[in-house]
Amino acid sequence: MVSQNITIKNEQGMHMRPASLLSQMAAKYDSSIKIMFSGKEIDCKSLMFLMAAGMKCGSEIELVCDGADEAAALAEITAFIESGMGD
Amino acid sequence: MYKGIAASRGIGIGSICRLIEHDLSFEAKIVSDTAAEKERFRKAIDSFVEDTNAMADEIRKNIGPKEAEILLGHAVMISDPAMSGEMFKMIEGGQCAEAALTAVCDMFIGMFSQMPDEMMRQRASDISDVKVSVLKKLLGVEDIDISKVPKGTVLVCKDLTPSMTSQIVKETVAGIITEVGGKTSHSAILARALEIPAVLSVPGIVDAVKDKDTAIIDGTEGDVYINPEGDVLAQYIIKREEFIRKQAELKTFFGKETLTADGDKLEIYCNIGTPKDAKKAMECDGEGVGLFRSEFLYMDNTHLPTEEEQFEAYKEAVETMQGKTVIIRTLDIGGDKDIPYMDFEKEENPFLGFRAVRYCVANLDTFKVQLRAITRASAYGKVKIMVPLVTTVDEVRTVKKLVAEIKDELKAEGIAFDSDIEVGCMMETAAASLIADLLAKEADFFSIGTNDLTGYTMAVDRGNAKVAYLYSAFQPAVLRSIRQIIAAGKEAGIPVGMCGEAAADPLMIPLLMSFGLDEYSVNPVLVLTARCIISKWTKAEADALADKVMAMDTEEEIVAALKAAAKE
C-alpha cells in the first residue's frame, strides 16, 4: 500500500468534469484507489462518490492505492490532481 | 387571451401538441428470477445510454459542445459503479429494477441537493433527469417524438428539458408555449437561436388546452390565443406575414455598409455594458462601439478595480471588435449608487451633484488608473475616450492634460499605446449644448447622450410619473439642442455621434440625418433596423421633413408629423 498527501488546486473543486476524468483514470488500474478526506473514505473509481464528497479548492486529501499496480496509479493520479485536473 | 413572457420574437400559428408528463408510478415487488431482472435493467440502461449519446451528437451539431457535455455526463453517471453498480447489487438481493433505480437515485439526489455549492446542487436535477429517463425505459413509456411532429405544430408543455429541445425541428414547430421559464432560460435561448416564436411562463396552459386546438403565439408581445375568432386569426395571419417580410428585409442589410438613399455613408455603432457584449455587437453587424459603459467594473466589485483588471476588460472588448472603433466612457456614477468602497456622500440631488467627470477630476489618483488602463488598451485596436457630464471647457482640458501625462509615462515605461488616441465629450447637459462651439475646439469628437440631455434640458425626472410626460426627445427644446450640438461639431470639423435611445428611433432618424449626424450608436439588436431606415431616406427628403417639424411648437404636433411621414 502506498499513499500521498495532496491539496486540491483547481478553483471549482471536485465538480463533474474533473471527477469524471479522475474516475475514468482510476478505473484503468486493478489496485483499490481511495481518497481519505475529512474522516471519510472515498472510492476514486466512482464519479458519484467523488462529487458527493464535497472536495473544494484547498481541501487536503490523502490518496491511498493498494494492489499490484499501486505505484503507477499513485504517480499518475497525484500528478493529475496537482496539475488542476484539466480545469 | 393568455399573457406570458415574450421569450422569442415572431408570430406562430398552428395546431397544438401537448407534451404531457407521464405517470411513472410503479409497484415495487420482490423478484425471484434476478438474472432476468438484471437483463431487463441492463437493456434499459443500454437503450438510455444509446439515446443520450445520439441526442448529445445532435446537440453538438445544432447548439454546441458545451451543451452536449451536460447530456454526456448523464450517460457517465448511470454507468458509475456507485449508480448502476449498486442498483445491480440491489436487484441481486431481490428488488425489482424500478425500485433499485429509484432508491439509489433518490439517495444521491438527497445528498447533492444538500450540498452548499450551487454547482453541486444542480447535479441533483441531472440525477433526477437520469432517473426519469431510465424509469420510462423500464415502464415502456414512450415520449412523443418531437422531431416527427407535423408541420405547423405548437408545442405546449410545462417546461422544455434539454432532451426535448434537442429534437425540435425548426421547419415543423410553429411556436412554443410553456408554464415555466424566463427570458434567459434554456428554452428561451434555444427558441431564439432557432427563430421559433415562444411565450413562456403561461400558468396552467397545459391543462387549459387540448391537442389539435388552434393557437396563436405572439412572441414579440407575449400573447397567446387559443381557438381564436376568425377576425383575430385573420389579423394575426397578416401580422405574421409582415413580421416575416420585415425579418427577411432586415437580413438583406447584414454585412452591408450603412448608406442613405442618396448613397452617403453613415455608421451604426453599438452601446455595450460589458466586454462580452462586444461579441454581440459583432454578431449583430455593428460597425463599432459608440458607448462602452465602464461602470460594470465598479458596480460588481469589492474594491476599486485595479489598472490590470480594467486593462484586461477593455482589451477584451477592443480585440473582439477587430480594429473597429471602441468609445469607452469614463466612470459615470455618483451619490445615486451605493458603492461601499467609494465614499460618495448621500446627496440631496445626486444627479446635479458630485458625480461622473466632477468626481474624476477631484480624485485624479482614481481617475488616472482608469485612463492608463484605457490608453494601454488602445494598443490593441481603435480606442477613444469619452468624458461624461461635461459642463465646462476646463473639464475637457483637465482630462486631456492627464491623458498627455499618461502617454509620456507609458512611453518612458516602454508600454505600447495609440499616440493618436482621441478624447471626446459626451453631450448630455444643457450647459454643454450651449457652449458646444467652445467644447468643439477642445474635443476630438462629440457623442450626444439623448437620455440625460432630455432629462437635464427639460428639468424632468423620468421616474416621476407626474412629470414624465415632459420627458421626450421630441420636445422642441431637445430637438433644438441636438441640432445645435451637431452643427457646432460640423462647424469645427469633428465627428458627431449619438448614443442615446433616440439614435435608433425610426421617427428620430430622418431628423438626425438632416442635422448631419455621422454615427448612430444603438442596442446591438437594432443595428439592422436602424440601417434599414437610413437606407430609405434621401438628404433632401429628410431636410424637408426637418424644416417642417422644426417650425412646429409642440411635441404632439412634431410626433404626429413624423409618424405621418414615417417609412416602414
Side-chain angles (χ1 to χ4, degrees), chain B residues 453-487:
Chain B
L453 182 65
T454 304
Y456 287 129
T457 300
M458 298 302 296
V460 68
D461 170 5
R462 70 194 296 190
N464 182 339
K466 284 194 176 128
V467 293
Y469 70 96
L470 289 169
Y471 184 92
S472 164
F474 295 103
Q475 285 285 352
V478 183
L479 290 178
R480 276 167 166 67
S481 182
I482 292 170
R483 182 174 63 178
Q484 168 165 323
I485 294 166
I486 297 172

Side-chain angles (χ1 to χ4, degrees), chain A residues 12-17 20 23-24 43 45-49 51-56, chain B residues 69-70 73-74 76-77 80-83 107-108 111-112 115-117 119-120 123 127:
Chain A
Q12 310 244 32
M14 190 66 77
H15 66 95
M16 182 90 159
R17 209 150 43 89
S20 175
S23 62
Q24 283 164 38
D43 182 357
K45 294 181 183 178
S46 166
L47 149 79
M48 300 297 280
F49 286 142
M51 286 199 298
M55 286 174 263
K56 288 198 258 309
Chain B
E69 209 167 284
I70 299 174
H74 290 182
V76 178
M77 276 182 175
D80 195 272
M83 288 276 278
M107 189 267 291
F108 278 113
M111 207 145 112
F112 280 101
M115 289 178 73
D117 182 347
M119 209 155 83
M120 283 300 170
R123 295 287 84 82
I127 302 165

Side-chain angles (χ1 to χ4, degrees), chain B residues 199-216:
Chain B
V199 176
L200 308 187
S201 277
V202 183
I205 192 72
V206 176
D207 289 332
V209 301
K210 295 188 301 297
D211 284 334
K212 304 266 186 265
D213 278 353
T214 299
I216 298 174

Side-chain angles (χ1 to χ4, degrees), chain B residues 80-343:
Chain B
D80 195 272
M83 288 276 278
S84 54
E86 280 308 306
M87 294 165 193
F88 277 115
K89 272 187 213 157
M90 288 174 74
I91 296 170
E92 217 151 50
Q95 302 219 39
C96 68
E98 288 87 349
L101 171 76
T102 305
V104 174
C105 285
D106 286 352
M107 189 267 291
F108 278 113
I109 291 169
M111 207 145 112
F112 280 101
S113 58
Q114 277 166 31
M115 289 178 73
D117 182 347
E118 165 63 26
M119 209 155 83
M120 283 300 170
R121 280 203 300 275
Q122 282 173 16
R123 295 287 84 82
S125 64
D126 285 318
I127 302 165
S128 181
D129 256 13
V130 170
K131 179 178 101 170
V132 169
S133 302
V134 180
L135 206 48
K136 280 180 188 163
K137 293 284 178 196
L138 288 169
L139 296 171
V141 180
E142 288 264 352
D143 282 324
I144 290 173
D145 186 347
I146 301 173
S147 67
K148 301 224 160 59
V149 297
K151 197 168 158 43
T153 295
V154 171
L155 300 176
V156 178
C157 58
K158 194 147 196 344
D159 191 13
L160 275 179
T161 64
S163 53
M164 286 179 186
T165 43
S166 69
Q167 303 173 37
I168 289 180
V169 180
K170 184 183 164 174
E171 286 70 31
T172 56
V173 177
I176 298 165
I177 313 172
T178 70
E179 291 191 0
V180 298
K183 263 196 156 66
T184 56
S185 68
H186 182 83
S187 329
I189 291 165
L190 192 107
R192 284 197 293 272
L194 294 175
E195 298 179 346
I196 297 173
V199 176
L200 308 187
S201 277
V202 183
I205 192 72
V206 176
D207 289 332
V209 301
K210 295 188 301 297
D211 284 334
K212 304 266 186 265
D213 278 353
T214 299
I216 298 174
I217 298 168
D218 184 339
T220 312
E221 298 294 327
D223 297 341
V224 171
Y225 297 84
I226 305 298
N227 295 327
E229 302 284 331
D231 54 337
V232 176
L233 191 60
Q235 189 191 325
Y236 272 93
I237 289 172
I238 295 167
K239 264 197 185 178
R240 181 176 60 181
E241 294 316 311
E242 273 171 12
F243 182 84
I244 292 168
R245 189 186 55 76
K246 192 80 213 166
Q247 290 307 110
E249 187 189 5
L250 288 183
K251 274 186 189 159
T252 65
F253 286 91
F254 193 92
K256 301 276 167 61
E257 291 191 315
T258 302
L259 300 175
T260 69
D262 302 312
D264 291 337
K265 184 159 167 35
L266 300 176
E267 285 179 307
I268 312 283
Y269 283 18
C270 293
N271 300 334
I272 66 171
T274 64
K276 278 200 183 60
D277 293 346
K279 234 175 105 193
K280 184 112 198 258
M282 288 296 276
E283 285 165 9
C284 293
D285 205 27
E287 295 164 72
V289 168
L291 168 63
F292 180 10
R293 302 179 188 91
S294 56
E295 287 74 59
F296 77 100
L297 286 163
Y298 297 81
M299 306 286 291
D300 308 326
N301 218 332
T302 51
H303 57 274
L304 215 52
T306 64
E307 182 180 321
E308 280 314 305
E309 283 173 328
Q310 298 200 44
F311 168 65
E312 286 301 330
Y314 302 143
K315 177 169 165 254
E316 185 186 337
V318 170
E319 286 186 328
T320 304
M321 293 311 293
Q322 300 172 11
K324 294 178 174 178
T325 299
V326 177
I327 300 178
I328 302 174
R329 180 175 72 186
T330 58
L331 183 61
D332 186 22
I333 40 184
D336 55 309
K337 297 275 180 354
D338 187 22
I339 300 183
Y341 60 85
M342 286 176 104
D343 50 347

